[in-house]
Amino acid sequence: MPPPAPPHPTDGATPAAPPMQVLRGLAVSPGIAIGPVVAASPLGRRLPPRDIPREAIDAERARLDRALRDAGLEAEQAGIEARDRLGPQYADILGAHARMIGDVTLRDGARLRIERDAISAEHAVIEILEGHASRLEQLSDSHLAARAADVRDIEARILGQLQGRRPGGLQDDLTAPSVILARDLSPSEAAGLDPRRVLGFATEAGGRASHTAIVAAALEIPAVVGLGRFLERARHARTAIIDGDEGLVILDPDEATRGRYRAAAEERSERFQVLSRQAGLPAVTLDGTRVELWGNIEFAAEVDACLSLGAAGVGLYRTEFLFLTAESPPTEEQQYEAYAAVIRSLQGRPIVIRTLDLGADKLERYRASAHREANPFLGLRSIRLTLRDPELSRPQLRALLRAAALGDVRIMFPLVSTITEIRRARALLGEAAAGLAAEGVAFRGDPPVGVMVEVPAAALVADHLAKEVDFFSIGTNDLVQYTLAVDRTNEALADLYSPADPAVLRLIERVVRAAAARGIDVSVCGAMGGDPLYAMLLLGLGLRHLSMPPHQLPEVRRVIRGIRDDDAAALAAEAMAMETAAEVAALLERRLREALPDTPRPGRDAAREADAGGRAANTTSVP
């Protein structure tokens, strides 16, 4: 379909339609939303004077205490409401807010400023929390920087109580279902969105690791974040399209673009419903090769989605959330209960639980080992932190061994780069088992132990690693990042970040061969494993286990059931001989369409047309 023609000025009384603008950000919640624009501006705070008379200090302290108490109760109530709407894992976000509001460190710090500096409670709270939020934003680690939104959410609650008001909801004044554009949304604001009224949202700030992104995905509201400054232009837009699959926001789309996206949205919805009804069918190729499809989860409630969409198990259970939302390290018992809930809900199906995959800088509020690093991606994180800080890792390893007695549990260590690391990790696991045995606590002493292969060093010595472990899981997100030296969260480098790069494919092939030679399982649990574009290639490279977010299961199953294993092997051989990622991607796209002509990629097609239309019309396309 040709791109839309540039708009021409008119000489009549009717004003020309505003030019279409195509903005690119981070896709954090899939789907397509089309609707009228509501551009939200942050409400200005009207604060009292900073200084107060010395004789008013006692009354100001009492006012602070009341505000903290009421803000904590408000956050707890929001958590209860979120539990009813979204499930316990998302309510935990707001529950953590309530605990942070009730933290004596915040109260004592604010009281100290009131007493020492004779300032109002509002200014005392702002000084503490804005300082904390600013420090978080300056960190290079995207996961921890994203927590600044949580801090400001707490700040808004407390200030609202101090000033006798509750912040108005973004959707309070909506007259029709709309698309919300904002600088940022707090987790509380996102959790309160009604999908019947808010079709989708886009923000200037935010990242893939933010709680707002997690909640948006749970609500199934299409969302794009990290767009940079665009609100001044967006305030004049009448209509917008949120493409949560491709990370695009299209302001004032022309009629042709609207038509393509409407068709894409309808086809996407219909296709998902049809494929979801096939969840009980096995993922078997036309020539009889079986592929195990598993789900990636972060919370216990996501197991239901995995099972309803036909997952054979959980291939990646991330445990970081237990640590990110806590003001103190989660205890062994707290971790055991969290793992046990997931294992029981799987009813005997296998689960791979990954040990803590965080950097030391993310735990600075409660760990003596925490410190800032110039480059956290190459610093003290993941298995390195596990080995360096046994006081942090021991409760998790004990909890995992106890939980392993409840079902088919496999334990996986992340970011392994040397043989020595996995040997030391297994020794720590052995020490934890010996301690449990001595205490007479029920546990499983020999659960399968594996590693995430996500750095080139591990891939290059995969033949040696295979002798030390029971399985491999290829984490393609970090493997691509470390192999190509490209920050996967940096949209300015998005054209360089490609799982189709020949260097990445050669490493994956090397890992698969090493696993096969040793007779151990190997899976892919990164984004590549859930992208239908790569399913045929991965099958051809010898992968028989793929793990992905639950909503990707139906489409990947459809691809596997529509292809032949020998054709996949031929495709892989052809791809491995290519020199560039662009050549490989074009080959994969062509072969997918040839094998499954009834499986178009409507969202991607519409996005490409929109980009082309934006350029042809001399409109804005922001990378």
Side-chain angles (χ1 to χ4, degrees), residues 180-363:
I180 288 181
L181 309 180
R183 189 198 175 280
D184 200 4
L185 294 184
S186 72
S188 293
E189 288 171 328
L193 296 180
D194 182 350
R196 295 169 298 181
R197 304 176 67 192
V198 178
L199 304 174
F201 70 80
T203 62
E204 293 182 332
R208 292 188 176 97
S210 70
H211 285 157
T212 298
I214 294 171
V215 172
L219 288 169
E220 299 183 354
I221 295 178
V224 176
V225 303
L227 286 154
R229 298 184 64 176
F230 77 99
L231 279 179
E232 285 307 312
R233 287 172 290 159
R235 294 191 200 291
H236 305 290
R238 303 169 185 170
T239 306
I241 296 172
I242 307 291
D243 184 340
D245 296 302
E246 300 298 322
L248 296 181
V249 175
I250 305 168
L251 303 177
D252 289 314
D254 57 35
E255 189 54 45
T257 301
R258 281 199 300 269
R260 282 192 292 269
Y261 266 100
R262 286 194 192 101
E266 291 174 4
E267 181 176 346
R268 187 182 191 282
S269 177
E270 292 172 2
R271 183 171 189 79
F272 185 82
Q273 294 302 321
V274 170
L275 295 180
S276 295
R277 290 194 290 271
Q278 300 173 2
L281 298 177
V284 178
T285 65
L286 295 174
D287 48 355
T289 298
R290 187 180 187 91
V291 179
E292 293 287 336
L293 299 184
W294 293 6
N296 295 344
I297 68 169
E298 192 162 10
F299 307 109
E302 292 174 289
V303 171
D304 289 343
C306 290
L307 299 184
S308 67
L309 293 173
V314 169
L316 174 62
Y317 176 22
R318 304 179 182 91
T319 60
E320 293 75 48
F321 201 77
L322 293 168
F323 294 80
L324 287 172
T325 59
E327 286 304 301
S328 59
T331 65
E332 175 186 329
E333 197 61 31
Q334 288 171 329
Q335 294 185 66
Y336 169 75
E337 290 297 336
Y339 308 149
V342 174
I343 295 165
R344 291 188 182 107
S345 63
L346 281 170
Q347 301 175 359
R349 296 175 181 85
I351 179 172
V352 178
I353 305 180
R354 184 177 68 187
T355 59
L356 183 62
D357 190 17
L358 290 176
D361 58 316
K362 295 179 184 174
L363 309 175

